[in-house]
Amino acid sequence: DTAVSQTPKYLVTQMGNDKSIKCEQNLGHDTMYWYKQDSKKFLKIMFSYNNKELIINETVPNRFSPKSPDKAHLNLHINSLELGDSAVYFCASSELPRGTDTQYFGPGTRLTVL
Amino acid sequence: AQTVTQSQPEMSVQEAETVTLSCTYDTSESNYYLFWYKQPPSRQMILVIRQEAYKQQNATENRFSVNFQKAAKSFSLKISDSQLGDTAMYFCALRVTGANSKLTFGKGITLSVRP
């Protein structure tokens, strides 16, 4: 069983479109995250939710909107896609939002905006 | 604010030999956790090893061990008996204790294991 899963794994779309990436974890964790890995492989956190409540919101354009329908799911919706949004997006989860907790990552979604 | 620095962009090692990947960090906090993650070509981020800053003993996981020097703010990863499957990008990461703290990553190092 996959612990943290994301769909789709690959997403190719045109500039200006709206797209969503879904994430699910079956680890029973309370906290979920979205990270962006750019073309230079640099990983940066975008958002974090704890028990469906937004707890970390980095400086991300408001075209990006996370949604957590329940604590096992955290989806990422992106409006009006731009070329610079091309990246790999990782979902992760941890039991608690505290430093001690190890984060477990999904397989990533490679988004390509043409 | 926390920073993590991995100054070597890439390294190469012969199969079965030992290699050490460097990482330095900076934080004003006294309680924190350090991690090494591996990202093979499959793209999956895999936890390799974790170290609690309050523990003096260096963490080990099979062929992987760390050299944690708290005063020097250094956290290097040693891979013994390197295997072809160790070929990957390795990221050092830091997270301070406390609610809602962020995991801060270094830029990563590409490790190639030669047959």
Side-chain angles (χ1 to χ4, degrees), chain A residues 11-19 81 83 111-114:
Chain A
L11 185 52
V12 181
T13 188
Q14 300 284 333
M15 250 188 343
N17 283 351
D18 303 339
K19 289 292 178 188
L81 279 154
L83 293 176
L111 171 65
T112 304
V113 182
L114 303 173

Side-chain angles (χ1 to χ4, degrees), chain B residues 16-19 62-65 78-83 86:
Chain B
E17 300 205 336
T18 295
V19 63
N62 301 314
R63 298 183 295 107
F64 299 88
S65 62
K78 186 170 89 170
I79 307 174
S80 303
D81 185 25
S82 296
Q83 299 175 0
D86 295 333

Side-chain angles (χ1 to χ4, degrees), chain A residues 9-10 33 35 37 41-43 45 55-56 58 88 90 97-103 105-110, chain B residues 33 35 37 39 42-47 50 52 89 91 95-107:
Chain A
K9 287 207 169 87
Y10 298 93
Y33 312 80
Y35 286 86
Q37 186 175 41
K41 303 286 189 180
F42 186 60
L43 266 160
I45 190 162
I55 56 171
I56 292 176
E58 286 294 280
V88 179
F90 285 96
R98 290 196 284 271
T100 180
D101 261 22
T102 298
Q103 294 182 22
F105 285 77
T109 296
R110 181 178 293 280
Chain B
Y33 297 82
F35 305 85
Y37 279 89
Q39 186 177 37
S42 66
R43 195 171 74 206
Q44 179 75 49
M45 290 288 289
I46 303 163
L47 177 69
R50 184 181 99 161
E52 292 87 347
M89 196 146 185
F91 292 92
R95 191 176 187 188
V96 299
T97 307
N100 306 340
S101 60
K102 296 181 291 186
L103 188 61
T104 301
F105 284 90
K107 289 185 177 179

